[in-house]
Amino acid sequence: MDVLLALGAIAYAVTAIASRRLARWGTLVLLPVLVVGGVAQWIVEGFYWQFVPTYVLVCAATGLVVAQRDRGPQTRWRRRAVVVARGGVGILVVVAGIAWLLVPVPNLPRPTGPYAVGTEVFRLVDPQRPETATDSADDHRNVVVQAWYPADPAVSGTPSTYLDGLDRLPKQVLILPACLMRGYGRIDTHGQTGVPVSADRARWPVVVFSPGYGAPRGFYTGLIADLASRGVVVLAVDHPYEVAVTELADGTIATQQQRFLDDDPDQSRYMSAQLDVRTADLRFVVDQLGRPGGFGARLSDRLDTEHVAAIGHSFGGAAAAAALASDPRLTAAANIDGTLYGTLPQQALTKPFLLLESDHSETGHSAQYLDGNRALLDRLRAPGFRYEIAEANHYSFTDAPRFLADPARHLVAQFIGGSRGPRQTQRATNDILMAFLQDPLGIGHGDIAAAAAKYRDIHGGPVR
């Protein structure tokens, strides 16, 4: 409905500019449809800021039609006024089009795996750790976990929410003004709450997922839901006070609190400290797997606590590698495009490890990224793999490209890369991830090379 109304408004404006005959047709045919459709859209979905230029455009085009119908004397002033009005309507067409570069309700891809997807959120508190990001000595560390799991397709549940605190967002979420996200409550996550776990396995292997720096777990819903549909339980973690927005166990909306140091110009000490916090968060999540009822009545007895892996994107990829280095309960880890900090590059990992990268020429990885990951791979004492996905940029693994309309996405790709697109990038990512994880998770033998070979221009292979 949104797209049809926007296109209809632009078409109506074009008829008003083109000629009196077309303007008459637009007024008789398009204008009534736009009015009825606009009222219906407002009633059904509410107000979207993207529609403001569209509303103004329809009103201006109608005013132009009325002005051109005037039978009065065609003075030079009137002719000039009509020309100016046509130019103004033309400018509004461009403005209305630009407003639709960011779609009100992003469309996420349907998961490709054989299973339906269930989801449940757990807002946990670690009583052993104080919260260093706040000033209260009574605050303890919160860790927010959203479980995505293979579900029974015969049972219907309630659609899950895309993002925490949609009605209480801060003014800005990462670089996005909150006003742009008003319609995100209508995003179809393809995950259902309140549905039972699939009975195909007694216990399901677990993958702990850590997102990029500041990014809410919800921004990876397309990737995570698809991964869960392939037969694993994914525990997506929000790291409070570093993530842009998340809801704590007591209902508080926690936003990003960065405490940079004056004598730390490149923020390397800050990032190293944050990596320690994240690693502790991931270990705490793994702790809950072994605690009776740690993940509720529906999931706790269905999790294979002997087969747990960690993966993450960007800073989350570094956290996954750090967790593997420090937690013997993890069987493998994958770093998706993450820069390493602190002493992590000097670690000698003893469990399988995968480095999955975006296109180096498009992302422009830093020297710290290149040197750190090279050092970590050189010290591996277990099977390791590295693959680079051509024409994918750093954000192709997230939902962020889907916040843009297709024309805008194509335009942005010309400047920052990512022309492979999020759909194919994420599908290739999960194919490679599942092939890599099958052995460590005890669910078969995966052919990583074959998974990568299904797609054009994915280069890499074993590193040990």
Side-chain angles (χ1 to χ4, degrees):
M1 184 184 294
D2 298 341
V3 173
L4 290 176
L5 285 173
L7 293 176
I10 292 173
Y12 174 56
V14 170
T15 64
I17 295 171
S19 70
R20 290 185 180 183
R21 180 179 298 177
L22 283 176
R24 190 178 305 114
W25 175 85
T27 305
L28 293 174
V29 177
L30 289 177
L31 183 59
V33 173
L34 289 172
V35 171
V36 173
V39 171
Q41 186 270 345
W42 199 319
I43 292 174
V44 172
E45 299 184 6
F47 171 77
Y48 293 141
W49 76 269
Q50 285 93 336
F51 268 104
V52 171
T54 302
Y55 299 146
V56 174
L57 175 62
V58 171
C59 293
T62 302
L64 176 59
V65 170
V66 172
Q68 292 181 127
R69 277 185 168 182
D70 193 337
R71 303 289 184 180
Q74 296 296 311
T75 64
R76 179 182 299 177
W77 181 89
R78 284 194 57 196
R79 287 194 295 269
R80 288 180 176 175
V82 169
V83 170
V84 170
R86 286 176 174 172
V89 172
I91 292 171
L92 285 173
V93 167
V94 175
V95 172
I98 291 174
W100 278 92
L101 295 183
L102 284 164
V103 295
V105 184
N107 182 32
L108 303 184
R110 186 171 297 279
T112 60
Y115 296 100
V117 179
T119 186
E120 186 172 356
V121 179
F122 301 90
R123 307 187 192 279
L124 310 174
V125 179
D126 184 352
Q128 305 303 317
R129 284 192 295 159
E131 180 52 76
T132 59
T134 65
D135 295 325
S136 174
D138 296 329
D139 287 347
H140 289 88
R141 181 64 176 169
N142 278 246
V143 181
V144 181
V145 181
Q146 184 166 8
W148 297 81
Y149 56 88
D152 184 345
V155 181
S156 296
T158 303
S160 68
T161 302
Y162 181 71
L163 194 65
D164 275 357
L166 275 171
D167 57 341
R168 293 176 287 164
L169 292 178
K171 292 182 179 179
Q172 190 167 309
V173 179
L174 295 182
I175 63 171
L176 288 178
C179 64
L180 303 185
M181 308 176 76
R182 185 198 164 279
Y184 281 22
R186 295 176 52 83
I187 294 176
D188 185 356
T189 67
H190 304 291
Q192 300 277 313
T193 64
V195 294
V197 182
S198 170
D200 282 4
R201 297 178 67 95
R203 292 179 181 270
W204 294 90
V206 177
V207 175
V208 182
F209 180 87
S210 184
Y213 182 83
R217 67 183 191 276
F219 282 12
Y220 294 85
T221 297
L223 184 79
I224 292 170
D226 181 72
L227 193 59
S229 77
R230 297 169 181 240
V232 295
V233 174
V234 183
L235 302 179
V237 181
D238 265 347
H239 304 276
Y241 299 107
E242 183 209 293
V243 66
V245 59
T246 194
E247 182 178 342
L248 306 184
D250 63 0
T252 299
I253 295 297
T255 57
Q256 194 171 52
Q257 304 293 326
Q258 300 180 117
R259 299 188 174 185
F260 296 143
L261 302 173
D262 293 337
D263 59 349
D264 185 26
D266 62 355
Q267 312 306 333
S268 58
R269 286 167 50 202
Y270 170 81
M271 295 299 286
S272 296
Q274 286 301 117
L275 183 59
D276 291 340
V277 172
R278 280 201 177 215
T279 305
D281 288 348
L282 298 186
R283 285 201 303 268
F284 175 69
V285 172
V286 178
D287 289 343
Q288 306 315 299
L289 296 173
R291 187 172 68 82
F295 283 101
R298 181 177 294 108
L299 274 173
S300 292
D301 293 334
R302 306 298 305 280
L303 302 176
D304 183 352
T305 58
E306 300 299 316
H307 293 95
V308 184
I311 66 175
H313 172 247
S314 194
F315 195 40
L324 184 68
S326 63
D327 194 330
R329 296 170 296 181
L330 295 176
T331 59
N335 172 12
I336 305 173
D337 233 25
T339 300
L340 310 183
Y341 293 90
T343 61
L344 181 55
Q346 283 71 54
Q347 298 293 320
L349 301 180
T350 58
K351 302 285 182 65
F353 181 74
L354 167 68
L355 175 63
L356 193 58
E357 303 178 283
S358 62
D359 192 318
H360 282 215
S361 64
E362 297 196 354
T363 294
H365 296 90
S366 67
Q368 182 176 356
Y369 171 93
L370 297 172
D371 295 342
N373 278 292
R374 185 183 301 113
L376 187 67
L377 293 175
D378 286 345
R379 289 176 171 80
L380 269 178
R381 297 177 182 174
F385 304 87
R386 172 190 168 275
Y387 285 93
E388 179 184 351
I389 303 177
E391 298 178 358
N393 72 3
H394 189 67
Y395 304 100
S396 299
F397 304 101
T398 75
D399 294 340
R402 298 185 180 279
F403 301 164
L404 299 172
D406 287 343
R409 190 186 309 161
H410 176 75
L411 180 63
V412 168
Q414 308 312 305
F415 294 95
I416 65 172
S419 59
R420 182 181 288 264
R423 179 185 296 274
Q424 191 179 94
T425 300
Q426 292 174 23
R427 185 169 296 182
T429 296
N430 280 345
D431 280 354
I432 294 170
L433 281 173
M434 285 303 297
F436 165 72
L437 291 171
Q438 283 186 38
D439 283 322
L441 292 182
I443 52 177
H445 175 70
D447 189 335
I448 305 174
K454 289 168 52 180
Y455 301 89
R456 62 178 175 81
D457 296 331
I458 295 182
H459 310 290
V463 294
R464 183 176 176 82

